[in-house]
Amino acid sequence: MKKLQLYSMAVLLTALAPFPVMGQVDNPPASITTPDKIESRIGTLQFNDGAPSEATAEKVYDHLDFTYAFRAFTDTFKGVSMQAVLEGFEAAGVKDNEILLFSKLMDSESLFLTANADTVYYLGFVNLSDGPMVVETPPNALGTFDDMWFRWVIDFGRPGPDRGEGGKYLLVGPGYDGYLPEDGFYVAHSKTTRVIMLGRSFLTNDDPAPTVKVIKDNLRIYPYEPGGVGLSIARYLEGGVELGRNAEPKKPVYHEGTGLSMNTIPPNDYSYYEMLNRLVQSEPATVLDTELMGPIAAIGIKKGEEFTPNARMKGILEDAVKVANATGRTLGFSPRNPDWFWYKNSQWWNPLFLGGYNFETPLPEITKGGAKPYPPTGYKQNDARTSFFYNATGITPAMAMRLRGVGSQYLFSIKDANGNYFDGAKTYKVTLPKDIPAAAFWSLTLYDNQTRSMLKTPQKYPRAGSQAYPSPAAEQASDGTTTVWFSPEQPEGVKRGNWIQTDPQKGWVILLRLYSPKESFFDKSWQPSEIQLVE
């Protein structure tokens, strides 16, 4: 028996032994070794038989921390953008669960990333820290709720489940495990303790006043009562849930936004990281994917800890934010991906076309048989994400869906027909062919290159379009085309509604909006001209 045990052990050891090596590797492949000296973009790197020198280690760590700091800008800009909006509201005296209402539309006094001067905005932060909140939305709205990392939560109004009739939206924050109603509400869950309400409503016969009245008569924001409306008596009798009184709908406090000078744009210096830290500290630690939170933590921004970078790290952060901001601005002003452009050999583009509001998978095609989704790509289009949020406020599927008559579509242009950036001292024009594909209305709006907000000129509202408010409607030519001019002074013979004023000292970019777009936009049978230099 003992001999048998020894034999079995020998067999086992033989089976577990490494496979025999076919010859000794005297010279390992060069591809798996590191030379003693390497020339790289961060300088000369030196190694002693693969071990980095002290100077090399210092260079590598500086570069690694720079990379983390760079990513902590490009990967988080959308969240810091939301924090900047929140702090802008707070500076203007607008508290949580209150509404900033632009009763005569937003003008160029406010710094908002590519906002419009066409619809009545009503904006506010809903705080879910103490439990779910109910928001009763007005009819005929076009709006969305986004969380504090600018992730879409739910639409309301025409693209939402209420389909433009108005409805009760129950917003539920992270960690809530209480009773939720069986019916009567559109329930949406947020990963953050605050959500922003981004509401837009159309003018009524080119007049904002009736629209403002509808908003004020219908918009309500108040805490949810778990045992009230939404809980059936039958469910109560089953046990585990208590009856309660119905919630009392409350009119929010309104603040006037038209003419208000306020800033909602993230900084592009060291204070960016301080703002990022305030966002991280105010929300749950698990609100972001750990992979995204890694670079943020690597530069010293951690939930529950003080952000106190030493002199070395602060210098790296100051350097990284310069390069990261330059990257966001380059992606936002000089896109390199030809697939972002809507037409061939054209300057009209939009980073949403390729990956939708999630920047992942192309938008579903709309066919006679219904929506035809594309298979998931399995990757995030980071350039498109960075470009979009560097220039825009808010995200919703309604900004990107290919559905006729619903939502809105956008085309950016940053260069003229010759591929040159726009010069505010010069005169340009664009021609829109007849039958502009917008069932609701269309508009062109100019934005300041630096602020990406409405260009500030004596006009106040740097726009032209089919609506006759806040400036006269653009007029068609006899052939049905519409030409809009851009120049410091109104060109001779051009109607006021067909002219947008520029600033001789400023560059500008332009955004074409089509509300309730028609099929000719999606099949590209309708195409605006390029913006042409006149002088």
Side-chain angles (χ1 to χ4, degrees), residues 482-494:
T482 303
T483 299
V484 176
W485 297 68
F486 317 97
S487 59
E489 302 294 334
Q490 187 172 346
E492 187 176 348
V494 174

Side-chain angles (χ1 to χ4, degrees), residues 144-475:
T144 192
F145 293 100
D146 287 342
D147 76 5
M148 284 302 293
W149 282 94
F150 252 142
R151 292 173 297 202
W152 177 68
V153 176
I154 192 172
D155 284 332
F156 66 88
R158 297 183 184 189
D162 70 272
R163 304 293 281 275
E165 295 183 3
K168 293 182 179 180
Y169 286 79
L170 181 60
L171 304 174
V172 184
Y176 178 77
D177 59 0
Y179 175 78
L180 291 175
E182 302 162 52
D183 205 354
F185 299 86
Y186 303 114
V187 181
H189 294 263
S190 169
K191 294 180 180 179
T192 59
T193 56
R194 280 189 179 95
V195 297
I196 190 171
M197 178 183 192
L198 297 163
R200 295 171 291 167
S201 288
F202 297 163
L203 304 182
T204 305
N205 297 322
D206 290 333
D207 185 357
T211 302
V212 169
K213 185 177 186 306
V214 169
I215 295 168
K216 289 186 173 182
D217 286 349
N218 290 275
L219 181 58
R220 301 289 185 271
I221 302 176
Y222 53 93
Y224 167 66
E225 294 287 348
V229 170
L231 172 64
S232 66
I233 301 300
R235 174 64 186 85
Y236 160 70
L237 294 174
E238 292 175 5
V241 182
E242 293 298 320
L243 287 175
R245 59 179 186 150
N246 292 338
E248 181 183 351
K250 295 181 180 179
K251 292 184 178 182
V253 172
Y254 287 96
H255 300 261
E256 180 55 58
T258 303
L260 180 63
S261 180
M262 64 183 300
N263 177 32
T264 66
I265 300 174
N268 53 24
D269 57 15
Y270 171 77
S271 64
Y272 177 92
Y273 298 105
E274 295 175 322
M275 186 173 285
L276 172 60
N277 181 60
R278 292 194 291 274
L279 173 61
V280 169
Q281 300 307 327
S282 65
E283 293 295 341
T286 56
V287 73
L288 276 187
D289 178 88
T290 53
E291 196 72 27
L292 286 174
M293 195 60 84
I296 300 173
I299 63 172
I301 297 176
K302 301 176 183 178
K303 175 72 174 180
E305 297 185 17
E306 192 174 353
F307 176 52
T308 55
N310 58 28
R312 169 189 167 273
M313 180 58 79
K314 188 171 182 181
I316 289 173
L317 294 172
E318 289 173 342
D319 190 28
V321 75
K322 294 175 185 177
V323 179
N325 176 67
T327 301
R329 184 166 286 278
T330 299
L331 287 169
F333 282 74
S334 186
R336 63 180 176 177
N337 190 334
D339 292 331
W340 291 9
F341 292 82
W342 190 234
Y343 308 102
K344 262 188 178 178
N345 302 316
S346 172
Q347 297 293 345
W348 294 105
W349 65 284
N350 187 326
L352 292 177
F353 292 142
L354 202 58
Y357 76 99
N358 271 330
F359 306 96
E360 292 175 7
T361 302
L363 304 172
E365 294 285 352
I366 305 300
T367 68
K368 291 182 179 179
K372 182 183 177 183
Y374 285 91
T377 61
Y379 58 85
K380 181 77 76 175
Q381 297 182 34
N382 289 340
D383 283 2
R385 177 209 61 193
T386 301
S387 173
F388 179 83
F389 284 108
Y390 192 83
N391 283 333
T393 301
I395 191 68
T396 163
M399 300 172 75
M401 59 182 63
R402 300 182 195 267
L403 204 56
R404 289 173 295 175
V406 178
S408 48
Q409 288 290 337
Y410 306 82
L411 289 174
F412 293 89
S413 186
I414 51 179
K415 296 178 181 178
D416 65 20
N418 299 318
N420 299 316
Y421 292 113
F422 300 119
D423 183 340
K426 297 178 180 178
T427 298
Y428 301 83
K429 67 176 181 178
V430 64
T431 298
L432 308 181
K434 66 178 182 178
D435 300 324
I436 299 171
F441 64 90
W442 65 269
S443 73
L444 290 162
T445 309
L446 297 195
Y447 298 96
D448 183 313
N449 277 1
Q450 289 286 2
T451 66
R452 293 94 76 203
S453 301
M454 280 188 249
L455 185 67
K456 194 169 183 178
T457 69
Q459 276 188 345
K460 292 187 66 176
Y461 299 94
R463 48 81 63 189
S466 56
Q467 297 185 146
Y469 185 95
S471 54
E475 298 184 23

